Amino acid sequence: MAADYKGDYQELVDEISELLGAPATLENRDFELLAFGTYDSDDELDASALDPVRTRSILTRRSTTGVRTWFEGFGITRATGPVRIPPSPEAGVYRGRICLPVRHRAVVVGYVWLLEGEPGPTDAQLDAAMRVAGRIGALLADEAEAGAGLSRELRAVLTAEGGWQRDMAVAELRTALGPRADGPHTLICVAPWPSPDPDDAPSARSVPHAAALCTIPWGAAAQSLAVLVRLRSTAMDAPALAAAGRVLEEAEGAWGALGVRGGTEAATTEGGPAPSGSGTGTRSGSGTGARGGSGKGAGGTSGKGARGAVPRGAGAAVAAAVAAGVAGVGRYTGGPGTAGFGGPAAGIGDPRVGLAELGAVWQEARAAAQAALAERHLGPVAQWRGIGPYRLLTALPPESAQDPAAGPLLAPAHRELARTAEVYLDCAGQAGRTASELGIHRQTLYYRLNRVEQLTGLDLDDGEDRLLLHMALKRARL
């Protein structure tokens, strides 16, 4: 297996770092960070040794347009050998750079960057590093060519019904990927994706660690984006998280360009009066502590973001958050512009070695995306292993989504009651915690819970009835 990955560009960047005795970074020609060498000296770990340009590149995995223009002014796009760039504090470049242009067939496909130091690399060392840069160029070019042409093959694998059809599709994808097909991979599902047109999807080359991508139907009318991600090890999450963040950023930008914004709350219609005096409820409860949300008092009107607001646009690593919707916090109703649309989310399946189980990985990625859309605290990027009960709930067939007992409670007129029941069950039946979470008086809570029992015919003091209702409410989000 190690021989198959000898050309991996992360390892090649490490090779350059070792050759020159300094940490190197690799960016594509759009100045997006692809890999960086490890820091071996205390001096490099010192914050004063990292100027703003280098720090931003590592933290956000890209450089600004102004930085790109400034560096290109030194002729790096035309250079065939190392280019030394002097420091410029006014530009945020506190230390000089050595740029090794990464070329393939006379075309620049990326850059290897090193910080200048004393005494600096010799000409012989730089010549050796340029030869490694040439190998990186060939690898990047091969990956770009393969990734651009593998949408059809990946889509065939993910949409095949199974059996011999999927086996044939996997064999075609394996042939197209070559030796790297036998390495570890995972899949990312980003949904909803704004366009079914393949030309509107980002290129695999622009997504870190992506081997291929394609659009896949999501529900009856929407689309999702599938991204096949190469991994160096099944134990490494960083490549998949970086790719998910990059594609989420693309999705959020595309929805924004269409004038669609998420985060709209569904209006609530039923909360019940806050009885005074003895009230109508007979239920007692105990428990202290809130989950950190706030409502709008005891009159039954829900406050926005009862479980805390989720920030949107959180940079390159996290591009969108899923907001609240129908029948509780976070339900996604299937389309932009609706009350439940809070922005796209990404799901990541568990890694596998080879391609034989890509179908299962895709189902995991879809399930994780569904969970992230349904429960905003799981997103905007959710991994299959981290979605808890949704691993089981997402596996249920669509026809099981609405249990007859819970059906009346899920009607639009009873959204506030459904939300109250779900928060109560999330709080393990503790009335004090539930009331604090919802921002309502306990008597209001008891009134609503009695209404829930009347609508469903379930006894909320019975463990099995509570389990059934809890599952039904969670499943309804999906």
Side-chain angles (χ1 to χ4, degrees):
M1 184 70 66
D4 292 340
Y5 287 89
K6 191 172 182 180
D8 183 277
Y9 51 66
Q10 176 63 62
E11 296 184 9
L12 294 177
V13 169
D14 290 341
E15 186 175 338
I16 290 178
S17 296
E18 186 175 348
L19 275 172
L20 302 181
T25 59
L26 171 65
E27 295 178 337
N28 65 18
R29 64 182 178 185
D30 295 323
F31 281 59
E32 294 174 329
L33 183 67
L34 300 179
F36 56 91
T38 56
Y39 294 102
D40 295 326
S41 70
D42 292 337
D43 177 63
E44 292 298 341
L45 286 170
D46 185 354
S48 65
L50 293 175
D51 59 41
V53 169
R54 187 177 180 89
T55 301
R56 186 186 191 282
S57 174
I58 292 174
L59 292 180
T60 68
R61 306 194 72 86
R62 63 180 59 205
S63 296
T64 66
T65 301
V67 167
R68 173 178 176 173
T69 301
W70 189 83
F71 279 116
E72 287 177 344
F74 290 91
I76 61 175
T77 60
R78 302 181 301 277
T80 58
V83 177
R84 281 186 159 86
I85 299 173
S88 176
E90 62 272 16
V93 180
Y94 297 164
R95 294 182 59 175
R97 301 287 200 275
I98 298 177
C99 175
L100 308 180
V102 178
R103 306 178 72 87
H104 180 71
R105 295 179 180 173
V107 176
V108 170
V109 294
Y111 307 98
V112 173
W113 298 94
L114 301 105
L115 295 177
E116 278 272 36
E118 294 293 340
T122 65
D123 289 343
Q125 287 176 309
L126 289 174
D127 288 343
M130 282 300 297
R131 288 193 291 272
V132 180
R135 290 157 56 196
I136 295 175
L139 179 62
L140 290 177
D142 288 346
E143 289 178 349
E145 183 177 351
L150 292 180
S151 293
R152 182 186 64 82
E153 288 84 353
L154 181 59
R155 185 180 295 106
V157 171
L158 302 185
T159 58
E161 295 182 357
W164 66 270
Q165 293 177 320
R166 175 160 290 167
D167 290 343
M168 287 187 63
V170 168
E172 288 187 21
L173 181 59
R174 182 182 292 113
T175 299
L177 286 172
R180 296 172 65 82
D182 295 326
H185 293 84
T186 190
L187 281 162
I188 297 168
C189 173
V190 177
W193 187 254
S195 172
D197 188 344
D199 291 337
D200 292 336
S203 70
R205 180 178 183 174
S206 69
V207 179
H209 314 288
L213 50 80
C214 66
T215 54
I216 300 288
W218 177 267
Q223 293 290 321
S224 64
L225 186 75
V227 184
L228 179 64
V229 178
R230 302 179 307 273
L231 303 172
R232 298 182 69 190
S233 163
T234 56
M236 291 185 64
D237 294 333
L241 293 171
R246 178 72 177 87
V247 181
L248 264 180
E249 190 176 28
E250 291 274 349
E252 187 180 50
W255 282 119
L258 294 173
V260 176
R261 290 288 184 268
T264 303
E265 283 282 356
T268 57
T269 57
E270 179 175 356
S276 58
S278 61
T280 59
T282 60
R283 187 177 311 277
S284 63
S286 63
T288 60
R291 287 187 173 186
S294 62
K296 285 191 178 180
T301 302
S302 170
K304 200 167 187 176
R307 298 193 186 184
V310 179
R312 295 180 52 80
V318 175
V322 180
V326 179
V329 180
R331 182 176 177 189
Y332 171 63
T333 57
T338 66
F341 183 72
I348 303 174
D350 272 357
R352 307 288 203 283
V353 175
L355 306 178
E357 296 184 70
L358 279 190
V361 181
W362 175 240
Q363 293 306 314
E364 293 172 358
R366 281 181 57 92
Q370 282 183 285
L373 288 166
E375 291 281 6
R376 60 180 179 173
H377 71 272
L378 294 175
V381 178
Q383 295 175 279
W384 161 255
R385 70 178 72 100
I387 61 175
Y390 282 99
R391 291 198 295 266
L392 295 177
L393 293 173
T394 54
L396 295 174
E399 57 269 20
S400 68
Q402 185 166 305
D403 185 87
L409 186 61
L410 296 174
H414 302 308
R415 290 171 184 166
E416 189 61 51
L417 288 181
R419 177 170 176 268
T420 298
E422 185 173 6
V423 174
Y424 175 71
L425 295 168
D426 286 346
C427 291
Q430 297 182 36
R433 285 182 60 197
T434 305
S436 180
E437 171 83 6
L438 295 171
I440 60 177
H441 192 277
R442 282 201 190 196
Q443 293 302 317
T444 302
L445 173 64
Y446 301 150
Y447 169 83
R448 293 184 187 179
L449 293 177
N450 279 317
R451 289 284 292 123
V452 168
E453 290 183 329
Q454 293 168 14
L455 285 169
T456 63
L458 299 175
D459 180 1
L460 293 183
D461 285 327
D462 181 84
E464 290 188 356
D465 281 2
R466 285 161 67 158
L467 176 62
L468 172 61
L469 182 58
H470 209 178
M471 290 180 63
L473 291 170
K474 296 295 186 186
R475 183 64 179 89
R477 293 176 178 274
L478 301 172

